[in-house]
Amino acid sequence: MAGHSQFKNIMHRKGAQDAKRAKQFAKILREITVAARSGLPDPTSNPRLRAAMIAAREANMPKDNVERAIKKASGAGGGEDYVEVRYEGYGPAGVAVIVEGLTDNRNRTASEVRAAFSKHGGSMGESNSVSFMFQRLGVVTYPVAAASEEDMLEAAIEAGADNAELTADGHEITCAMENLFAVRDALEARFGEPSSAKLDWRPENTVTLDEEKARSVLKLIDVLEDNDDIQAVYANFDIPDYVAQALAA
């Protein structure tokens, strides 16, 4: 299992999903707010807002919540003023970590992220201290039933994507970050709305973790993800199947 933000195969983390649902909604609503303020409140003319609304639907967020957030963000001077932040550092076992957030208080968020690294066996670095070890990519996903593997690959290449592959979770199409919305729109015209469309950090190389180190790294990531200001956490680790099974036991 590679560690780039999703960690779907770690079963012991799934038990806490229900408890984190409200926090997930809050993070998506924060992204919708920033997206709506950064462009037009119409998703057809605002690619970032459209992507955020897809994420809301994927999370089964009520439509009323989304509409209220857009309306509030569109009002003059209404609501919080968030800024985008990114932190980089190293976790246990030398794992490189990128943390992205939206905050209304840079000093608070930086202090909390630094404390999380320090408390859990890592250290926060300077800007760009680890991002050179990752690729910044656009990623579009579809359920398996959306198309055959061959049809999706053909359509993805025609749309300007670099690759498309069928995984256990469905079709994953990757492209240059600047092509994300063009690729998404082309695929949507053929296969309907994707499951997700977003920018991602993908590690060039990964650090393989044993059980003890995996527990330490996942603890740090749990703490970072639990922070209200943090939108996503990426790391360059890999957990072998037998270690994942031990963690799930």
Side-chain angles (χ1 to χ4, degrees), residues 109-144:
T109 307
S111 175
E112 291 173 352
V113 170
R114 183 176 288 106
F117 272 102
S118 299
K119 184 176 180 180
H120 297 283
S123 60
M124 197 164 86
E126 299 296 324
S127 296
N128 302 315
S129 59
V130 305
S131 57
F132 69 92
M133 302 164 67
F134 294 74
Q135 283 185 296
R136 190 63 161 158
L137 299 174
V139 182
V140 181
T141 62
Y142 275 92
V144 175

Side-chain angles (χ1 to χ4, degrees), residues 59-195:
N60 295 316
M61 180 182 292
K63 188 176 180 181
D64 287 349
N65 293 27
V66 175
E67 292 175 349
R68 278 198 301 271
I70 294 173
K71 187 176 294 185
K72 183 177 179 181
S74 303
E80 298 82 0
D81 187 15
Y82 298 113
V83 294
E84 296 180 80
V85 292
R86 188 176 90 211
Y87 308 101
E88 302 178 23
Y90 288 94
V95 168
V97 182
I98 296 176
V99 183
E100 292 184 332
L102 294 171
T103 180
D104 57 358
N105 187 322
R106 287 176 181 267
N107 291 336
R108 178 195 67 224
T109 307
S111 175
E112 291 173 352
V113 170
R114 183 176 288 106
F117 272 102
S118 299
K119 184 176 180 180
H120 297 283
S123 60
M124 197 164 86
E126 299 296 324
S127 296
N128 302 315
S129 59
V130 305
S131 57
F132 69 92
M133 302 164 67
F134 294 74
Q135 283 185 296
R136 190 63 161 158
L137 299 174
V139 182
V140 181
T141 62
Y142 275 92
V144 175
S148 69
E149 186 174 6
E150 294 77 13
D151 286 348
M152 184 62 74
L153 177 60
E154 179 184 353
I157 298 303
E158 288 178 358
D162 297 323
N163 191 36
E165 60 180 320
L166 187 59
T167 71
D169 297 317
H171 299 279
E172 181 182 84
I173 300 92
T174 53
C175 62
M177 58 179 290
E178 61 270 18
N179 295 338
L180 172 61
F181 296 118
V183 169
R184 182 203 61 193
D185 289 349
L187 293 176
E188 184 173 321
R190 183 163 174 180
F191 302 116
E193 188 174 277
S195 299

